[in-house]
Amino acid sequence: MSTLPAPTYADVADAAEHIAGAAHRTPVMTSRTADALTGASLFFKCENFQRMGAFKFRGAFNAISHFTESQRQAGVLTFSSGNHAQAIALSARIAGIKATIIMPEDAPAAKMEATRGYGGEVITYDRYTGNREEIAARLAQERDMTLIPPYDHPHVIAGQGTSAKELIEETGPLDYLFVCLGGGGLLAGCALAAAELSPSCTVIGVEPEAGNDAQQSLERGEIVHIEVPRTIADGAASTHVGEYNFPILKRYVDRVVTVSDDQLVQTMKFFAQRMKMVVEPTGCLAAAAVLQNILPVKGKRVGIIVSGGNVDLARLAQFLA
Ligand SMILES: *Cc1c(COP(=O)(O)O)cnc(C)c1O
């Protein structure tokens, strides 16, 4: 784990300055159909239109932009099932440093190709038998590279929080903010931003039914570890939330709800048909909780983070068929 102090809203504001000009300020979209379905005013923050196709560019770029000269010389190392890998590879290329990425051998082909395309060196492992954190720690030591994990890092959390910061700056105060979670980087950062910029906003985490470790963790008051969940939401198939993330979730997140793979498919169809957007299954989590009425939001102003849009086209066609 990093030795940096726990992130606060000041780090989110600092991240916003570091990523300005490099990250896109993504659009906030609305849909009359979605509003009519729920009786609410919904604001979709569309990170599927972020660079490399997901919010992860925010945290990765912010983390690398804080590197010292000697860290830049040795380069960055990470492990990821996909979007964080691309985010690190692209951020490293922009920063002019070397990136090594440890990925599961069954990661979606499009994500692996994109990572190599951005110039990252990819090392694969079997995610059902290998321990990526151990492999990463060993490589970091051998090569003297700085490890930037996908969610359990203050600069990553702060970077992801800029998404909710931009959203609330644009919409004004919200009653609810729905954010998907795997390891809790996006949710922790967004919760910090909401607590500062819209203090009465209720923050809801959304995770796949097959892997409700965060829900269990908040109920028990400690980080619960689960087996690798089998879900189409591959970006949220994490086994536990992070150590930096959990105290923030405990303090600022009202509750965590779950949605099924079937509800994710319904939501992908909604986005494609009604809003003309390609959204990956994980990116549908937060919207699914609202559109499938998991938590009634009638009459409320509701922010929804659409976290990413990276999905193999053949796979997308199967889902939409
Ligand atoms: C990584 C990722 C998530 C989960 O983010 P965490 O910070 O691990 O909670 C959700 N959606 C997409 C598209 C992702 O790439």
Side-chain angles (χ1 to χ4, degrees):
M1 201 165 125
S2 149
T3 54
L4 293 164
T8 65
Y9 177 73
D11 297 297
V12 179
D14 169 77
E17 286 176 21
H18 277 84
I19 69 168
H24 292 316
R25 197 178 175 100
T26 51
V28 176
M29 312 259 272
T30 56
S31 157
R32 283 174 193 237
T33 309
D35 286 359
L37 275 172
T38 54
S41 297
L42 309 184
F43 301 97
F44 297 89
K45 177 67 170 168
C46 294
E47 291 298 307
N48 50 321
F49 296 129
Q50 186 50 265
R51 289 187 75 171
M52 51 61 56
F55 70 90
K56 290 236 173 52
F57 181 75
R58 297 173 181 272
F61 190 87
N62 184 48
I64 288 176
S65 74
H66 282 84
F67 274 21
T68 62
E69 192 46 45
S70 68
Q71 285 178 303
R72 290 175 48 85
Q73 290 299 327
V76 60
L77 172 74
T78 197
F79 48 83
S80 165
S81 60
N83 284 333
H84 179 67
Q86 290 175 63
I88 286 286
L90 176 59
S91 300
R93 195 181 69 183
I94 294 169
I97 71 173
K98 199 163 135 5
T100 300
I101 291 113
I102 299 161
M103 283 183 121
E105 60 200 7
D106 62 347
K111 293 187 175 182
M112 218 181 269
E113 278 163 31
T115 304
R116 291 203 177 98
Y118 289 131
E121 177 201 2
V122 176
I123 296 175
T124 60
Y125 75 104
D126 178 346
R127 73 187 169 113
Y128 295 102
T129 59
N131 181 330
R132 65 184 195 172
E133 283 155 55
E134 276 167 20
I135 300 168
R138 182 168 42 78
L139 271 175
Q141 206 166 26
E142 280 170 17
R143 302 186 181 186
D144 200 29
M145 297 175 107
T146 302
L147 175 63
I148 299 296
Y151 51 83
D152 201 355
H153 190 284
H155 292 152
V156 173
I157 293 170
Q160 319 306 33
T162 60
S163 170
K165 179 177 183 288
E166 290 174 13
L167 169 65
I168 297 167
E169 281 170 356
E170 190 164 332
T171 61
L174 296 168
D175 298 313
Y176 282 97
L177 178 63
F178 284 77
V179 185
C180 58
L181 87 143
L186 180 64
L187 177 57
C190 288
L192 288 174
E196 177 78 16
L197 303 173
S198 183
S200 60
C201 177
T202 300
V203 179
I204 308 288
V206 187
E207 64 185 345
E209 212 169 74
N212 72 331
D213 60 286
Q215 196 178 46
Q216 293 184 44
S217 300
L218 286 183
E219 275 163 17
R220 288 200 214 161
E222 63 185 23
I223 298 174
V224 171
H225 291 244
I226 59 168
E227 294 290 302
V228 176
R230 294 187 187 249
T231 165
I232 60 171
D234 55 289
S238 52
T239 58
H240 57 94
V241 299
E243 286 177 31
Y244 276 108
N245 313 68
F246 186 58
I248 300 173
L249 306 191
K250 229 164 56 172
R251 179 156 174 204
Y252 297 111
V253 174
D254 196 69
R255 59 187 281 207
V256 172
V257 299
T258 64
V259 303
S260 67
D261 279 4
D262 188 52
Q263 289 170 320
L264 293 177
V265 170
Q266 294 308 318
T267 305
M268 283 178 87
K269 287 183 176 165
F270 180 87
F271 278 135
Q273 189 158 42
R274 298 292 182 166
M275 295 180 73
K276 320 302 171 197
M277 297 203 297
V278 172
V279 182
E280 66 184 275
T282 316
C284 291
L285 280 164
V290 177
L291 296 175
Q292 305 281 327
N293 217 24
I294 306 282
L295 201 89
V297 292
K298 198 162 188 286
K300 305 294 186 190
R301 289 167 51 78
V302 182
I304 294 169
I305 308 281
V306 178
S307 60
N310 292 328
V311 52
D312 279 327
L313 283 185
R315 207 158 161 256
L316 176 69
Q318 281 174 357
F319 288 131
L320 298 183

